[in-house]
Amino acid sequence: MPTTLPPAPAAHDVQDGATAAPALALRNVTRVFGAHTALDGVDLEIAGGEVHCVLGENGAGKSTLCNIVFGSMPPTSGQVLLGGERFAPASPADALARGVAMVHQHFSLVPTLTVEENMLLGRGVRRLRPDRAGLAARLAAIAETLGLRVDLDARAEDLSVGARQRVEIVKALLDDPRILLLDEPTAVLGPEEVDSLLATCRRVAAAGTAVVLVTHKLGEVMRVGDRATVLRGGRVAGSGPLARDDAPDRPGGLGAADLVGLMVGRDASSLDPVLAASVGVVGQGPAPQGRQEAARTADRTVAQTSVRDTTDGRDAGTPPVLVVSGLCVDDADGARRVDDVDLAVRPGEIVGIAGVEGNGQSELVAALSGALRPSRGTVRLGGTDITGAGPRRRTALGLGVVPEDRHHEGVVTGLSVTTNLLLGRLRRFRRFGLLDRRAMQASAADLARRFDVRTASLDAPVSSLSGGNQQKAVLARELSLDPLRCVVAAQPTRGLDLGAVDDVVGHLRAAASAGVGVLVVSSELSELLVLCDRVHVAYRGGLRGPVPTDAPDARDRVAHLMTGAAA
Amino acid sequence: MIPTLTDLLVASVALAVPVLVAASGELVGERAGVLTMSVEGMMLTGAFASVVGATASGSAFYGVLCGAVAGLLVGVLQAVLSVLLRADQIVTGLAANALALAGTTFGARLLLDRGTTVPGFARIEIPLLADIPVLGPALFRQTGLAYALVAAVVLLAIVTSRRTGWGIAVDAVGQDAASADRSGVPVLRVRFTAVLVVGLLSGLAGTQLALSEVHTFTDNMTAGTGYLAVVAVIAGSWRPVGVAVAAVVFGLAQALQFTLPALGVDVPFALLVMLPYVLALLAVAGFVSHSRPPAGLNTAFVRQGRLA
């Protein structure tokens, strides 16, 4: 008894305005987690055939909204209507059965299965014999209408991030969904892949599907969105059709500046350039269409007016504090993750490493912090070879590390804020062999004040802090090392709200102007361009560049390198 | 020499079949991400129930039914604990084993007379094949239950292979339960069913031991065979053929303790008894295979209920 896949669909009827029920509607939806209200009385209407962007900072409630619509969690109160009918999915399986599909930020592909097996998953579970022929026919239809092709026999884990996401999208489209949710789909993509993703969104919408694009990057919204809803602190801050250059019949729509204002709750012109960059007022790389021009001009302005601390110690004559030469790192399977990397950071200099995630940045940072042993090459800190040194010796020599995975590597979540802040130098607080808790309290309170770590109590476990405050605690610990000669910060602003991004960036700049060498690894190109003096690009384990960020075409050059092109 | 080799193989196969049957079930459970340590308890309970059932009814077939149901019941208990209640899979498994040992020992005093033999299964010789020298007696002079169980093991390997929807689903929930859930796979149902399969096959493995080989119930008669089954899954790299090979090796190692003394080889008996477990230790320590266990093994699934 073979599974019957639905036949390739006829185009949905495009709904005409008020007469038909919206494809998806949220009515006064609230979701509470303990004391935290993630969504607070949200109303939202999405019509078939439109690309509706849901915007907001991290923590604004975007993911919660997706999870509710996709059946991963129920709302605390309020209603969801699907095509006018009550919709309360108990599981993702329910949502899929009702025609709601989702492209997850971190994918929903089982890494060890092949692409075909992943596609069959969920439709063939109750079947002994999955319908491979039906799947092939449907895939051929999708390839024809959308131009999306996938390699059925490849294992999901062997695919590049871009190819994996293509599979994820095709998988979501298999059952011809009424609603397609995309949760931060561009976070892991390079500029060209973003372009093709956005084009796909438009084509899917043109077939009548309601496309919900969840993002915090404004450039993308301005390029593909028909309408936008902005969430702030769990509430709808504003909603409406978007102003687009190619749709002059819609004057008075929301423009980029309006959206930024709604997202952060203040006038866009008062934003620090780094903040503006982090919400993506700037375009995502080379833009193919004219309607992107406004956003790109904004980007130029940001890059040129960016305020960088100019320090005296940063001239080329100063010997570098961190020198990496010929560094290679292999993973457990023997695959080369970092390939012959040369890098130098001078005192007072901020050097950035850009690139799509998974190009060896994590392994490079792990090798610098002592977590991974390089297979070749050397790392020197202030003239001392630390290639084989343990983390403890690196710390003693003045290397601060802000790790990528805050929860697992940055803090010990169960211990108090005080202990976490002082963990590396507990020996200094020894008195008669015991810890002098009063001195620790005083020292921790001082650090917390200087780095603005907000906590109810310094004795509270660090897990009770918000992500931004945890990150500030890590920075406080690493930047207060004595001596401090170099700081390596991996994805230091990931998952932080705008205020915290501002603080983190400020502290890194302050460290640099105090003569510390700073190396920042980030996938947020816009942030790097305004923060750093020069930016390298990680590509397949190697480093390209550097590109000096005061060059007028710095963004284009870096974006070009990210695609793997030669410098 | 030839007769002794034949004896060795006969004893090996006799000891390998229960390990093979239980390990095949455990393989499905582990592929689905549930580490069922209670295989030993399931086997012992199955052996006990089958002997009680066969004695009470006078029929070996009812004995098999009782053994299968008893294994299933322990499976239900284990599944409720480790899949639904998300209790620690190893701790609950070991507790179930202790409970099964105590329960069956007590039950044997209560229900069974010491030393009674039960109507078990008679050996069936397959014409011609059974006359093959050395291999024939070992492979083709087994009980009907043994033939049926080996057939069941092969069938199970086929329907849970990656050619089937079930097999894909089993691997998916064991490798990446969150992704499987988002793809619409009923994760808890698949895992619960997988643990039931472990219970059913382990109960039948105990039944095979009691009704085909020993023809009685003795206290702690499985004596670690269930743990060997768990090890066989690791040594076999979570692949059916590998698991079968591992089960045969363990059977062989166990058989040596009977055959070597009979040959007059002067090895301390205690060392021979240790042999299978020494092999098991080496296998678990990674000397046999370096393949990775299912990524979600021994990890309970709960749908993401909070903000990331």
Side-chain angles (χ1 to χ4, degrees):
Chain A
M1 41 175 187
T3 327
T4 322
L5 289 168
H12 293 273
D13 300 328
V14 177
Q15 320 227 350
D16 44 349
T19 53
L24 177 73
L26 273 66
R27 301 255 186 267
N28 200 20
V29 166
T30 296
R31 171 73 207 199
V32 178
F33 298 107
H36 172 60
T37 303
L39 285 183
D40 190 0
V42 167
D43 287 299
L44 186 64
E45 280 197 6
I46 293 160
E50 75 171 0
V51 176
H52 193 118
C53 299
V54 175
L55 274 151
E57 293 184 47
N58 290 301
K62 303 184 305 264
S63 294
T64 308
L65 190 147
C66 286
N67 284 329
I68 286 174
V69 175
F70 192 57
S72 289
M73 63 177 69
T76 308
S77 65
Q79 271 195 348
V80 182
L81 301 174
L82 191 65
E85 289 169 36
R86 189 73 201 276
F87 177 59
S91 66
D94 277 2
L96 287 166
R98 293 281 298 273
V100 176
M102 180 160 165
V103 171
H104 292 83
Q105 187 176 359
H106 300 291
F107 306 141
S108 63
L109 303 176
V110 179
T112 48
L113 297 186
T114 66
V115 170
E116 184 181 42
E117 287 166 341
N118 267 297
M119 300 261 180
L120 291 167
L121 203 60
R123 65 189 54 243
V125 191
R126 292 172 195 80
R127 306 289 180 181
L128 193 53
R129 295 184 58 186
D131 180 17
R132 290 167 203 265
L135 174 69
R138 185 73 185 100
L139 287 177
I142 290 176
E144 187 165 338
T145 53
L146 296 174
L148 293 174
R149 275 164 235 283
V150 293
D151 175 7
L152 279 181
D153 296 324
R155 271 169 32 129
E157 64 188 349
D158 297 336
L159 295 175
S160 71
V161 178
R164 223 179 289 180
Q165 187 176 58
R166 196 158 58 238
V167 172
E168 177 91 4
I169 291 172
V170 171
K171 183 179 153 201
L173 293 173
L174 279 180
D175 282 332
D176 182 35
R178 288 196 271 180
I179 315 280
L180 179 65
L181 300 163
L182 299 104
D183 186 10
E184 300 274 0
T186 57
V188 292
L189 299 185
E192 289 182 355
E193 290 165 329
V194 170
D195 291 341
S196 96
L197 173 83
L198 296 182
T200 302
C201 283
R202 282 262 46 116
R203 267 182 251 137
V204 171
T209 302
V211 176
V212 182
L213 178 66
V214 175
T215 181
H216 67 278
K217 298 192 177 164
L218 219 49
E220 294 160 9
V221 175
M222 296 315 292
R223 282 162 69 186
V224 296
D226 295 312
R227 298 169 61 85
T229 298
V230 180
L231 292 179
R232 189 172 72 236
R235 298 183 184 199
V236 175
S239 178
L242 290 164
R244 286 199 336 212
D245 300 348
D246 60 344
D249 54 322
R250 277 192 312 210
L254 295 167
D258 305 323
L259 292 175
V260 176
L262 288 171
M263 278 170 80
V264 299
R266 54 181 151 142
D267 191 10
S269 59
S270 71
L271 280 180
D272 182 288
V274 174
L275 297 194
S278 82
V279 275
V281 189
V282 300
Q284 302 299 309
Q289 285 141 349
R291 63 162 130 136
Q292 182 44 2
E293 240 8 88
R296 282 164 60 75
T297 316
D299 169 29
R300 270 307 127 62
T301 324
V302 168
Q304 282 164 1
T305 60
S306 68
V307 202
R308 271 197 303 273
D309 295 296
T310 39
T311 19
D312 300 327
R314 213 177 59 216
D315 63 288
T318 322
V321 62
L322 180 74
V323 181
V324 176
S325 44
L327 196 74
C328 295
V329 179
D330 297 340
D331 67 10
D333 297 328
R336 183 137 293 187
R337 293 295 173 182
V338 175
D339 193 8
D340 197 20
V341 162
D342 295 311
L343 182 68
V345 182
R346 276 186 281 277
E349 188 183 37
I350 305 184
V351 177
I353 296 183
V356 178
E357 278 181 58
N359 275 298
Q361 300 98 313
S362 302
E363 291 80 1
L364 175 62
V365 171
L368 293 180
S369 68
L372 274 183
R373 181 171 286 268
S375 47
R376 265 204 0 239
T378 57
V379 180
R380 300 175 76 82
L381 181 69
T384 315
D385 188 339
I386 57 164
T387 312
R392 187 191 186 90
R393 179 160 156 72
R394 287 170 204 245
T395 306
L397 286 170
L399 179 70
V401 178
V402 178
E404 182 178 337
D405 187 339
R406 194 159 51 231
H407 261 114
H408 292 108
E409 295 167 11
V411 293
V412 184
T413 44
L415 294 184
S416 71
V417 178
T418 300
T419 318
N420 267 291
L421 281 172
L422 305 174
L423 204 52
R425 60 192 104 152
L426 288 177
R427 117 190 351 249
R428 291 193 196 166
F429 296 96
R430 242 180 350 198
R431 199 179 50 174
F432 312 124
L434 299 176
L435 286 173
D436 180 353
R437 306 213 59 100
R438 194 171 297 168
M440 283 175 68
Q441 289 281 5
S443 183
D446 177 51
L447 275 179
R449 191 175 39 74
R450 273 165 50 207
F451 285 85
D452 192 28
V453 180
R454 287 181 208 167
T455 169
S457 154
L458 288 171
D459 295 324
V462 78
S463 55
S464 68
L465 269 56
S466 71
N469 279 306
Q470 287 184 12
Q471 188 71 320
K472 282 189 269 182
V474 174
L475 273 173
R477 188 185 66 211
E478 299 299 324
L479 293 181
S480 61
L481 291 178
D482 186 21
L484 179 66
R485 314 169 91 156
C486 182
V487 174
V488 177
Q491 314 286 358
T493 60
R494 175 185 291 168
L496 304 188
D497 62 42
L498 288 183
V501 169
D502 195 25
D503 287 345
V504 167
V505 165
H507 287 305
L508 290 176
R509 279 187 178 151
S513 51
V516 173
V518 178
L519 179 67
V520 183
V521 178
S522 174
S523 47
E524 299 286 344
L525 175 55
S526 309
E527 275 179 38
L528 289 178
L529 287 175
V530 289
L531 176 65
C532 301
D533 300 305
R534 53 196 168 90
V535 175
H536 288 272
V537 173
Y539 184 75
R540 299 206 175 153
L543 278 195
R544 308 281 173 99
V547 176
T549 53
D550 47 10
D553 58 345
R555 161 172 292 273
D556 291 340
R557 282 169 63 189
V558 173
H560 191 56
L561 290 176
M562 283 168 76
T563 63
Chain B
M1 192 62 206
I2 292 291
T4 323
L5 190 56
T6 308
D7 289 346
L8 178 65
L9 282 183
V10 168
S12 300
V13 172
L15 293 160
V17 170
V19 178
L20 172 69
V21 173
S24 299
E26 176 71 9
L27 172 62
V28 174
E30 290 199 17
R31 277 174 55 201
V34 187
L35 181 59
T36 314
M37 288 302 287
S38 50
V39 173
E40 172 82 2
M42 292 165 173
M43 284 182 70
L44 194 57
T45 311
F48 172 73
S50 68
V51 170
V52 171
T55 314
S57 66
S59 152
F61 290 102
Y62 284 109
V64 174
L65 199 65
C66 288
V69 169
L72 263 183
L73 287 178
V74 184
V76 170
L77 174 73
Q78 183 70 63
V80 168
L81 287 171
S82 45
V83 178
L84 298 188
L85 300 180
R86 304 192 292 274
D88 186 287
Q89 296 171 8
I90 295 177
V91 173
T92 53
L94 295 179
N97 290 345
L99 180 66
L101 176 57
T104 53
T105 305
F106 178 61
R109 300 288 179 285
L110 220 55
L111 300 175
L112 297 171
D113 295 323
R114 188 170 287 269
T116 46
T117 53
V118 290
F121 286 89
R123 295 192 181 272
I124 302 169
E125 282 194 22
I126 299 192
L128 298 179
L129 290 178
D131 298 328
I132 299 173
V134 185
L135 281 181
L139 295 181
F140 303 109
R141 208 170 284 169
Q142 295 292 339
T143 63
L145 179 61
Y147 293 130
L149 286 180
V150 171
V153 164
V154 173
L155 189 69
L156 180 69
I158 292 172
V159 299
T160 59
S161 77
R162 288 267 274 272
R163 303 289 308 157
T164 71
W166 297 340
I168 295 173
V170 164
D171 273 338
V173 302
Q175 292 285 356
D176 187 347
S179 287
D181 180 56
R182 293 173 188 156
S183 307
V185 179
V187 174
L188 296 184
R189 204 184 307 164
V190 172
R191 285 191 165 180
F192 201 100
T193 311
V195 179
L196 293 189
V197 169
V198 180
L200 177 66
L201 283 189
S202 300
L204 287 171
T207 304
Q208 157 74 9
L209 192 66
L211 296 188
S212 288
E213 301 293 340
V214 187
H215 291 273
T216 186
F217 181 82
T218 59
D219 295 347
N220 194 22
M221 71 183 292
T222 48
T225 314
Y227 292 111
L228 287 183
V230 176
V231 176
V233 174
I234 301 171
S237 310
W238 292 272
R239 283 192 294 264
V241 174
V243 171
V245 170
V248 169
V249 170
F250 284 140
L252 193 71
Q254 283 178 294
L256 284 176
Q257 61 185 278
F258 306 116
T259 319
L260 282 189
L263 270 176
V265 180
D266 188 22
V267 184
F269 183 64
L271 283 186
L272 291 176
V273 176
M274 279 168 55
L275 183 61
Y277 304 100
V278 172
L279 285 182
L281 270 180
L282 293 178
V284 176
F287 286 99
V288 175
S289 92
H290 291 283
S291 60
R292 295 204 195 112
L297 187 59
N298 201 9
T299 312
F301 171 70
V302 56
R303 190 174 286 143
Q304 160 209 6
R306 277 212 56 112
L307 286 164

